[in-house]
Every structure is written in C-alpha cells, then in structure tokens.
Amino acid sequence: MSSQIGKVIRTTLLADATIAATVSNRIYPLVMPMNTAFPAIMYTLLNTRSDSHLKGTTGIAETMLQLDGYGQNYSSLLSLMELVRLEIQSIRGTYDSVFINSIDLDSSYDTFDRPEDGSDLGLYRVVHTYIVNYQETIVTR
C-alpha cells in the first residue's frame, strides 16, 4: 500500500499547474536519471509503520516520505518547494483507492551538492520529510 503513496504524491504534484510548469514531468521515485534537467524532484518512501492493538492491526499506517528538490537557483528552488509543501499538506481523502488521513511536514533542510570537479556548478537541494497517515487494508481470518 505504501508504494501507492508515491504515485498519489507524483500525480497530485503534477496536477498543480505551477508545479507542473516548473518541473515538467521531472518527479522521480528513488533515483533521478542521468542528465536530468533542473529543477527536479525525487521522492523516497523511507519506512512504514502499522498501528496495532492487542487484537491486531488497527488499519491505520504511517509512512515517512522524503521529497528532495534539486535546482540551480536557490531562491527559485525554495519557492518551488514551498508550493510543493502547500500542495502535499492539502492532500486528504481518497486518491487512487488510498485513503489519506493527513500529511504533515516533519523536518526540512537545505544543502548544496558540490560537483566532484570542485567547481561552483553544483546543485542546491531542499529536503522535506513528511509523515503520511493513511488507512491500510486489514487482514481478517
């Protein structure tokens, strides 16, 4: 189920006209292709935890989602990632058969990835980590 969260995130972000105009379709799971144009976004599902009680799982799960925004202009990247945050935190309800209860920003940081050749032509990176709370299917026997 948590793998569907990534699809929901990508689809929702690309449905926003401003985000889509900025990144085109450059929102990737786990790895960006070589020679990617920028800005671009990469998403990673870090871990999933199912809530449980004495009789089994409750049907509520949490997934840690990391979004890495990459760009060559720091100011523009910050603006893009703020739009992404606002869009991500507005997701509630059923998306592609996944019922999302809430998505909350857990942490954020900025960094600069310097190229191996030591030049200043590196990439700015803004990293957001979110907690996605959603309903999962309960196994009954």
Side-chain angles (χ1 to χ4, degrees):
M1 178 71 79
S2 66
S3 63
Q4 292 175 295
I5 299 291
K7 293 176 187 174
V8 170
I9 297 302
R10 186 177 196 280
T11 300
T12 301
L13 291 178
L14 290 176
D16 180 276
T18 305
I19 294 171
T22 304
V23 299
S24 182
N25 64 347
R26 296 183 304 271
I27 300 176
Y28 304 105
L30 299 175
V31 177
M32 281 191 294
M34 294 294 283
N35 301 316
T36 295
F38 297 102
I41 298 171
M42 185 175 68
Y43 63 91
T44 307
L45 299 171
L46 300 174
N47 64 342
T48 299
R49 182 180 65 79
S50 296
D51 193 27
S52 62
H53 51 67
L54 293 176
K55 292 185 178 183
T57 61
T58 65
I60 302 295
E62 286 186 347
T63 291
M64 185 74 70
L65 167 72
Q66 180 174 312
L67 291 174
D68 295 62
Y70 291 88
Q72 295 170 320
N73 180 288
Y74 183 59
S75 178
S76 297
L77 181 59
L78 286 175
S79 296
L80 169 64
M81 292 306 285
E82 178 61 10
L83 290 173
V84 166
R85 182 190 68 78
L86 293 171
E87 192 65 33
I88 292 293
Q89 289 187 311
S90 72
I91 296 174
R92 301 273 187 287
T94 303
Y95 295 80
D96 295 334
S97 76
V98 178
F99 187 86
I100 297 177
N101 297 315
S102 64
I103 302 180
D104 297 306
L105 183 66
D106 184 57
S107 66
S108 175
Y109 69 90
D110 307 347
T111 188
F112 182 75
D113 294 343
R114 188 170 304 281
E116 290 182 16
D117 66 6
S119 70
D120 290 332
L121 300 175
L123 288 173
Y124 293 98
R125 183 165 54 125
V126 175
V127 180
H128 289 177
T129 306
Y130 296 89
I131 297 173
V132 181
N133 183 288
Y134 65 97
Q135 293 181 7
E136 67 179 351
T137 304
I138 299 175
V139 177
T140 57
R141 295 180 189 186

